[in-house]
Amino acid sequence: MTVISASDLSLTFQTADGPVHALKDVTLDIGKGEFVSFIGPSGCGKTTFLRVIADLEQPTAGSISVNGMTPEQARKTRAYGYVFQAAGLYPWRTIERNVALPLEIMGVSKSEQKQRIERVLELVNLAGFGKKFPWQLSGGMQQRASIARALAFDADLLLMDEPFGALDEIVRDYLNEELLKLWAATEKTICFVTHSIPEAVYLSTKIVVMSPRPGRVTDVIDSTLPKERPLDIRDTTEFLEIAHRVREGLRAGHGEV
Amino acid sequence: MTRIWQGNAGPVTVVVAAIILIWYVFVVVLNAPWERDQAARAGTEISFIQLVKNTMAQERPVLPAPHQVVAEMWDTTVNKSITSKRSLVYHGWITLSATLLGFVIGTGLGILLAVGIIHNKAMDKSVMPWVIASQTIPILAIAPMIIVVLNAVGLSGLLPKALISTYLSFFPIVVGMVKGLRSPEAIQMDLMHTYNASAAQTFWKLRWPSAMPFLFTSMKVAVAISLVGAIVGELPTGAVAGLGARLLAGSYYGQTIQIWAALFAAAALAATLVAIVGLGQRIVMQRMGGPA
Amino acid sequence: MNAGWVIFALIAWLGGWTLNEWLVRQKTGNQAVARVISLAVPLIFGISLLAIWEGVTRGFNVPTVLLPPPSAIWERIVNSVPILVADFRQTFMKAVLIGYVLGCGSGFIAAIMIDRSPFLKRGLLPLGNFVSALPIIGVAPIMVMWFGFDWPSKAAVVIIMTFFPMLVNTVEGLAAATSMQKDLMRTYAANYWQTLFKLRLPAAAPFIFNALKINSTLALIGAIVAEFFGTPIVGMGFRISTEVGRMNVDMVWAEIAVAAVAGSLFYGVVTLIERFVTFWHPSIRSG
């Protein structure tokens, strides 16, 4: 079943320096339960594509459907959870109340809110930190809380824009593992934007390589790695082959690294 | 054409025009009762057109029309000799001189105090809280006392008013300069430390330039409040000279239009002074290579 | 010249200064002790200032019309409590408080109303900044003309004075939420009011309290000075201007003392509320 279907999708920004082709003729299908990574250098359109899915940007040409509806309809039916590059937690709310934010807006009852919050905090290993304030938590923990918030209302689609980019590598590895466990437990469809080749190859079932000027898809790689992935799969030949293919795709699109 | 709508000039003009329009409406509304009263006493009927025309030309209106105020201002500036006791220019100058003197002293004092607070810890901890507390003493409220007392000691005219303006303007300068002189980042201060720079060198090469934006912002606030101080300082001397005196005199004798004209003159003065400081700011910031 | 008092003043000055210099150089790891020191230093400065004042005025026989000693002012305060209370009620409880609430309230509501129109915002904000620089106190005689001599005209002046800082700061505060946070609200399909109450207003709180603090001082000054332009026979401004005419300077200082204490308490209460509401803001957390 196809969750996201883009056809000749284009987005051109009109700037003071002339038109910027953020996306050009992107045609892509994403199926249910897939973990799709978008990788490419700055300006390749990966974040823009994610934002179009989320109805945070509007395309200037082509079409896209999310869950069979327009992105706007999908947004209004709360079809996805979005995780930004920064945690963006409200400093005036405890972690619990932060996770409750979407639930409050969607009118979920107080008792159900409590249940859901407990469940998602458990999922991201933050049980017991509910009453703390964001500034009392480390960067990695804040980002986990942000993921919990995106999971709270059970949307089947998770859109993640370089969520671990600001964290150090050790925390990143740990969170990558946690994210895969989460994905296995919840069976969501995940679209994940990243700068990091190892991260993209480690996490995904499908890798979309993009390149800039104009923003376009240069390669779509179906990963042959098994679903169960311990961290040291990154040292296997299979992994390195896929990483190599990604790197080739990036070079081809960019001209030179 | 789109450029005009992108900047603020378009919306501001529209809003100002709307305000003037609403003002004229209220002129008619607020002055009408008196007109109707007059007509009833004379036993005559008054047509609506005549009513509107009359409300805009009353001698003692509840709300004067903009053109009446402008006419009065024109009359008392251009049509009077500058030394005349009825000239707004004369009164404006009296207020302005006290304002400027107070502002200059206040700024100088404020900067000195700020420098002291930065470099001396005892001054910082003891003086700073009292600088803030000093503002809770409503100096404007004791302006009359200060004027009268200083007059009794022989200090009259310009200086007492200037002292009030000084007191009012030094606070924003101190607060702003302390913030500004402390604004360089830790890494900048560390760099100076690695050069073994003296306190004076660090001050002139790093702290002072960093404080410039803060200084100008505070000076804008200070000059505006200096003006208020000078105006209030004119009230107790029995309304003799200055814009504050004109306001008070107009209030005593029921000369509405005179009050409004004096108020507009004071407003124009304030706007001009702030604009001049702003101009100074732009010039200095451009010479320092930064955004204005 | 009374040598005893002058020496007293000198001792107070030198003693206070050395004590403070010593105190600020104390290094202590204990947070409670540090807090006591930071409270003690300005207090000692203030007390020594009062002592110097007393010593100098008495020691040099400064004429009381020029500057009375603190003890004389205290005596006057103690003997004039009924008058002071009546004046306080007229000026502070009526003109200041009512004007403050109405002025800040209307400034806030106006900001929310123009929030929905970028056009109005671009037109009104420069005007608001401009008006804040003007000598608003000058409208006092006009208010007396419209609303009469009693406290409503003074409250009207306070309303006008407090309206613009509140408007400008609230509008600025409403812009404080980052675009990322606003995007998040958009992904939740939150409507305008949900975004306003759950995100933008809490984010605007530091700015709003900044205006509330500035306005607390403006309101008091505005009400007192407005009374210089005409008031019934009660009120702090009235008392000050008439007692000045009678050269009863100690009474004037008594009123000032009451005004200063009232103003400080007012500001203090607003600051306490600010600390409670914006506990999360970095400036409050580290302060």
Side-chain angles (χ1 to χ4, degrees):
Chain A
M1 187 187 123
T2 314
V3 173
I4 298 171
S5 177
S7 175
D8 286 327
L9 191 68
S10 302
L11 206 170
T12 308
F13 288 116
Q14 297 295 340
T15 67
D17 295 321
V20 171
H21 300 285
L23 287 174
K24 198 155 160 64
D25 297 330
V26 172
T27 302
L28 192 61
D29 278 344
I30 296 173
K32 186 160 163 56
E34 287 189 331
F35 195 128
V36 183
S37 286
F38 295 84
I39 188 165
S42 321
C44 69
K46 53 194 196 296
T47 298
T48 311
F49 186 64
L50 209 72
R51 288 173 68 88
V52 170
I53 299 174
D55 192 36
L56 292 172
E57 308 277 4
Q58 271 70 49
T60 48
S63 67
I64 181 166
S65 75
V66 179
N67 283 354
M69 311 175 245
T70 65
E72 189 181 351
Q73 289 165 332
R75 179 174 67 85
K76 296 216 169 121
T77 54
R78 281 99 184 220
Y80 62 84
Y82 203 102
V83 180
F84 288 89
Q85 281 163 313
L89 301 168
Y90 293 172
W92 54 84
R93 285 181 175 232
T94 58
I95 299 295
E96 270 178 1
R97 301 310 313 153
N98 263 295
V99 174
L101 181 67
L103 303 174
E104 283 174 16
I105 293 176
M106 297 169 189
V108 170
S109 75
K110 277 272 161 80
S111 52
E112 179 150 6
Q113 279 183 28
K114 201 158 176 286
Q115 269 181 21
R116 287 174 176 263
I117 295 170
E118 260 177 53
R119 186 167 50 88
V120 289
L121 283 181
E122 187 78 48
L123 267 176
V124 298
N125 278 328
L126 278 181
F129 285 94
K131 302 256 185 262
K132 298 263 181 213
F133 284 98
W135 71 79
Q136 294 172 304
L137 267 50
S138 69
M141 293 166 91
Q142 286 185 30
Q143 199 56 305
R144 277 192 273 155
S146 169
I147 294 174
R149 183 178 59 186
L151 293 172
F153 49 101
D154 275 342
D156 283 329
L157 179 60
L158 205 58
L159 303 174
M160 307 177 82
D161 187 0
E162 296 193 61
F164 308 138
L167 308 169
D168 68 69
E169 193 152 353
I170 298 170
V171 176
R172 227 185 181 171
D173 280 349
Y174 169 66
L175 290 176
N176 279 171
E177 271 189 308
E178 295 299 305
L179 185 58
L180 274 189
K181 283 190 207 151
L182 214 97
W183 176 56
T186 55
E187 292 181 349
K188 296 196 190 298
T189 312
I190 302 187
C191 292
F192 190 94
V193 168
T194 178
H195 258 139
S196 155
I197 300 177
E199 192 173 51
V201 179
Y202 177 67
L203 291 172
S204 349
T205 57
K206 182 170 4 200
I207 304 165
V208 176
V209 184
M210 298 178 78
S211 58
R213 291 182 301 279
R216 65 197 182 283
V217 176
T218 32
D219 196 4
V220 178
I221 304 169
D222 285 301
S223 177
T224 50
L225 297 172
K227 242 189 155 189
E228 289 277 315
R229 302 173 191 184
L231 265 181
D232 35 357
I233 203 173
R234 295 182 298 180
D235 301 322
T236 62
T237 338
E238 216 182 333
F239 189 98
L240 292 170
E241 274 171 9
I242 302 176
H244 183 76
R245 195 173 151 193
V246 172
R247 203 163 279 126
E248 290 297 306
L250 286 171
R251 261 201 218 121
H254 207 197
E256 50 180 50
V257 172
Chain B
M1 193 57 185
T2 17
R3 265 305 199 72
I4 299 179
W5 292 112
Q6 270 170 9
N8 281 343
V12 174
T13 321
V14 170
V15 173
V16 171
I19 291 177
I20 296 182
L21 200 65
I22 297 174
W23 186 341
Y24 269 107
V25 169
F26 270 95
V27 168
V28 176
V29 168
L30 289 179
N31 292 340
W34 192 80
E35 287 298 326
R36 288 198 216 253
D37 214 45
Q38 293 298 99
R41 283 199 202 162
T44 56
E45 283 280 323
I46 182 161
S47 74
F48 186 69
I49 308 278
Q50 193 61 37
L51 179 74
V52 170
K53 276 173 77 176
N54 283 0
T55 51
M56 305 220 183
Q58 288 180 355
E59 262 202 38
R60 287 166 189 232
V62 176
L63 181 66
H67 64 260
Q68 281 182 301
V69 179
V70 172
E72 166 83 8
M73 286 178 75
W74 184 263
D75 190 46
T76 47
T77 48
V78 178
N79 291 349
K80 291 260 183 317
S81 105
I82 289 188
T83 48
S84 150
K85 286 278 159 68
R86 282 174 176 262
S87 166
L88 265 186
V89 176
Y90 167 73
H91 290 289
W93 171 246
I94 304 248
T95 310
L96 181 63
S97 40
T99 306
L100 287 178
L101 186 60
F103 170 67
V104 166
I105 301 178
T107 305
L109 216 70
I111 294 178
L112 282 173
L113 209 65
V115 174
I117 288 177
I118 296 284
H119 289 115
N120 180 313
K121 222 170 163 199
M123 254 190 99
D124 176 15
K125 294 253 178 228
S126 55
V127 174
M128 230 3 217
W130 283 98
V131 166
I132 298 174
S134 76
Q135 294 304 296
T136 64
I137 299 180
I139 198 69
L140 277 179
I142 55 175
M145 177 178 78
I146 295 180
I147 302 286
V148 169
V149 158
L150 288 178
N151 281 352
V153 193
L155 274 175
S156 59
L158 184 60
L159 203 54
K161 288 195 289 178
L163 283 176
I164 295 177
S165 295
T166 304
Y167 190 99
L168 285 172
S169 55
F170 101 98
F171 174 69
I173 301 282
V174 172
V175 170
M177 279 308 275
V178 168
K179 217 167 166 185
L181 291 171
R182 286 207 173 126
S183 65
E185 297 170 330
I187 53 178
Q188 299 281 21
M189 296 298 293
D190 283 346
L191 189 65
M192 280 298 190
H193 202 64
T194 70
Y195 295 154
N196 200 19
S198 68
Q201 285 171 321
T202 311
F203 178 81
W204 287 111
K205 291 184 189 301
L206 178 61
R207 288 196 197 266
W208 179 258
S210 309
M212 283 297 100
F214 294 83
L215 178 64
F216 280 102
T217 312
S218 310
M219 285 210 292
K220 282 187 196 166
V221 173
V223 82
I225 204 156
S226 272
L227 180 64
V228 175
I231 291 179
V232 175
E234 288 159 7
L235 300 180
T237 52
V240 171
L243 290 174
R246 284 289 280 185
L247 279 174
L248 198 60
S251 164
Y252 282 163
Y253 300 122
Q255 298 283 17
T256 326
I257 306 185
Q258 180 181 325
I259 298 178
W260 281 85
L263 190 59
F264 268 50
L269 205 55
T272 313
L273 287 171
V274 173
I276 293 177
V277 175
L279 187 64
Q281 177 175 14
R282 220 173 310 161
I283 294 176
V284 169
M285 294 316 283
Q286 272 177 358
R287 283 185 59 189
M288 284 173 63
Chain C
M1 182 177 104
N2 192 325
W5 278 109
V6 178
I7 295 175
F8 172 71
L10 268 170
I11 295 177
W13 177 38
L14 290 170
W17 193 353
T18 23
L19 184 56
N20 271 351
E21 286 279 348
W22 178 80
L23 272 176
V24 295
R25 293 188 206 295
Q26 296 311 301
K27 295 198 193 304
T28 166
N30 189 327
Q31 211 192 41
V33 175
R35 201 175 271 164
V36 167
I37 291 184
S38 59
L39 278 174
V41 172
L43 212 61
I44 291 173
F45 181 76
I47 292 176
S48 53
L49 206 64
L50 277 173
I52 296 171
W53 181 351
E54 182 85 22
V56 166
T57 43
R58 288 201 188 278
F60 289 105
N61 289 324
V62 175
T64 41
V65 284
L66 190 54
L67 189 67
S71 47
I73 299 175
W74 178 253
E75 207 184 305
R76 173 60 75 156
I77 291 178
V78 167
N79 288 337
S80 325
V81 172
I83 303 178
L84 292 173
V85 168
D87 289 338
F88 179 79
R89 199 176 281 149
Q90 172 78 0
T91 310
F92 195 86
M93 303 302 286
K94 292 187 190 159
V96 171
L97 282 183
I98 296 180
Y100 181 82
V101 168
L102 286 177
C104 293
S106 45
F108 181 76
I109 294 175
I112 305 261
M113 288 200 320
I114 71 173
D115 181 54
R116 308 207 70 168
S117 161
F119 184 83
L120 268 183
K121 241 189 283 191
R122 283 190 296 148
L124 276 174
L125 263 195
L127 277 180
N129 278 316
F130 173 75
V131 173
S132 306
L134 302 180
I136 307 264
I137 201 72
V139 306
I142 299 173
M143 292 299 123
V144 168
M145 208 168 263
W146 286 356
F147 297 109
F149 270 118
D150 210 342
W151 65 266
S153 55
K154 321 300 177 246
V157 175
V158 173
I159 292 177
I160 298 178
M161 279 181 94
T162 52
F163 177 82
F164 288 99
M166 191 67 183
L167 175 69
V168 170
N169 271 284
T170 308
V171 170
E172 216 180 302
L174 285 174
T178 65
S179 51
M180 193 185 78
Q181 287 167 322
K182 287 190 272 194
D183 276 347
L184 187 69
M185 277 304 195
R186 209 174 134 76
T187 70
Y188 298 151
N191 62 37
Y192 172 80
W193 297 104
Q194 283 172 321
T195 310
L196 185 67
F197 281 108
K198 291 189 189 292
L199 169 64
R200 303 173 69 212
L201 278 179
F207 291 83
I208 294 177
F209 273 97
N210 189 35
L212 286 175
K213 285 195 288 191
I214 295 175
N215 279 348
S216 69
T217 346
L218 282 181
L220 184 59
I221 296 181
I224 293 180
V225 176
E227 288 182 3
F228 291 164
F229 283 97
T231 180
I233 51 167
V234 69
M236 295 164 82
F238 166 78
R239 193 74 48 204
I240 290 173
S241 51
T242 37
E243 295 297 330
V244 161
R246 293 188 202 157
M247 298 304 249
N248 282 344
V249 177
D250 51 354
M251 187 62 187
V252 177
W253 278 100
E255 289 278 349
I256 301 302
V258 172
V261 170
S264 310
L265 283 176
F266 193 11
Y267 186 89
V269 167
V270 178
T271 308
L272 272 174
I273 301 178
E274 180 193 29
R275 260 170 212 264
F276 181 71
V277 172
T278 60
F279 62 90
W280 46 269
H281 197 254
S283 64
I284 306 285
R285 274 194 279 137
S286 60

